[in-house]
Amino acid sequence: MGFDPVLRRQVWIQVVPPHTQAISAVRRDLSRTGRLHWLTGRRNGTDNWDAFEAPDGQPLLLTLRASAPQWITLKSRLLDLSAELVASAADGSSPALRLDRLWIRDDGRLVL
């Protein structure tokens, strides 16, 4: 996590190994509620990272450990996830899908 003084907000910084390909144009331009918005990135000899919006909320795994969600909540999250997976398969932006990459915003929406 970092702070962007230009945007005046928290951002998530994903550090990647040297020589990692830059984020694709499809991924950079995504503007769906089911994905974090890419803000900027850099690839050079010493700096290899991408910055994404830092959403409110908490990891899905923490919410599941705290208490089992009601069916209506779980169903809504599964629908969010399936809609994003269908959309990402269609536009070629499919993410690496792992439980630690699922985030629940304060409004209850699931984000990859």
Side-chain angles (χ1 to χ4, degrees), residues 88-111:
S88 64
D91 66 17
S93 68
S94 295
L97 189 58
R98 298 187 329 231
L99 285 176
D100 66 342
R101 294 187 175 209
L102 300 175
W103 191 266
I104 303 297
R105 290 183 185 266
D106 286 343
D107 66 2
R109 302 302 300 249
L110 185 132
V111 180

Side-chain angles (χ1 to χ4, degrees), residues 35-92:
R35 294 293 281 276
L36 293 179
H37 298 288
W38 181 84
L39 301 172
T40 190
R42 181 171 296 165
R43 300 288 190 280
N44 64 33
T46 58
D47 290 333
N48 296 284
W49 53 269
D50 291 289
F52 297 87
E53 69 170 318
D56 54 17
Q58 61 185 337
L60 173 67
L61 290 175
L62 282 181
T63 66
L64 294 176
R65 288 182 186 137
S67 65
Q70 293 183 342
W71 169 244
I72 191 72
T73 301
L74 185 57
K75 180 181 172 184
S76 173
R77 291 175 182 170
L78 289 171
L79 288 171
D80 285 347
L81 178 59
S82 64
E84 180 52 42
L85 292 176
V86 167
S88 64
D91 66 17

